Amino acid sequence: SVFRNCAMDGSVFRGCRMRPTRFDNVDFSLASLGAADLRDCDLTDCRFRETNLVQADLRGADLRSVDLLGAYTRGIRLDGADLRGAHVGDSLWIGAHLHRARIEPAQAAAYARAHGLTVV
């Protein structure tokens, strides 16, 4: 399935397995995707502002240039995900599983700061 240039803001997805799916420029702002299975999904350029992603499984997902500012991400699984260019808050770096995730140098510095390190 492919969803392109649409709005799912405020939607509620319960116990959903949403893969294999491509979401291109989709607005999920204020949606509830807690515990959703989004493994290996292409979510490039999507918006997740203030979205519930608690315990969501995004392992291997393409999250390049996504907007995750204000998203609730406690326990989110991002192992192997591509987060290059993603806009994220400090809470993501603290509460997410990020083994083998791809990030940019600026994001690595934000990760370090979120964990109390001083970047010089």
Side-chain angles (χ1 to χ4, degrees):
S1 299
V2 177
F3 293 87
R4 190 173 282 127
N5 301 320
C6 58
M8 295 191 188
D9 49 324
S11 299
V12 177
F13 300 90
R14 292 181 203 257
C16 293
R17 186 175 137 219
M18 303 172 74
R19 62 185 195 98
T21 305
R22 179 177 177 187
F23 298 94
D24 184 18
N25 195 30
V26 174
D27 188 353
F28 287 101
S29 296
L30 300 170
S32 180
L33 291 158
D37 184 351
L38 292 159
R39 286 176 288 161
D40 300 315
C41 285
D42 184 343
L43 296 154
T44 305
D45 294 320
C46 289
R47 284 170 302 289
F48 292 94
R49 288 218 170 203
E50 299 184 43
T51 300
N52 173 16
L53 290 167
V54 173
Q55 302 292 323
D57 191 346
L58 289 139
R59 290 176 291 168
D62 188 343
L63 299 165
R64 287 175 292 155
S65 300
V66 300
D67 183 350
L68 288 161
L69 292 173
Y72 303 97
T73 57
R74 184 176 32 95
I76 191 172
R77 297 181 72 185
L78 294 168
D79 304 300
D82 190 344
L83 289 157
R84 293 174 292 170
H87 305 282
V88 303
D90 288 346
S91 63
L92 178 98
W93 301 125
I94 296 168
H97 301 272
L98 294 159
H99 183 71
R100 300 184 65 105
R102 290 177 298 284
I103 60 174
E104 298 173 335
Q107 293 170 320
Y111 176 89
R113 282 190 304 273
H115 287 273
L117 300 173
T118 301
V119 179
V120 291

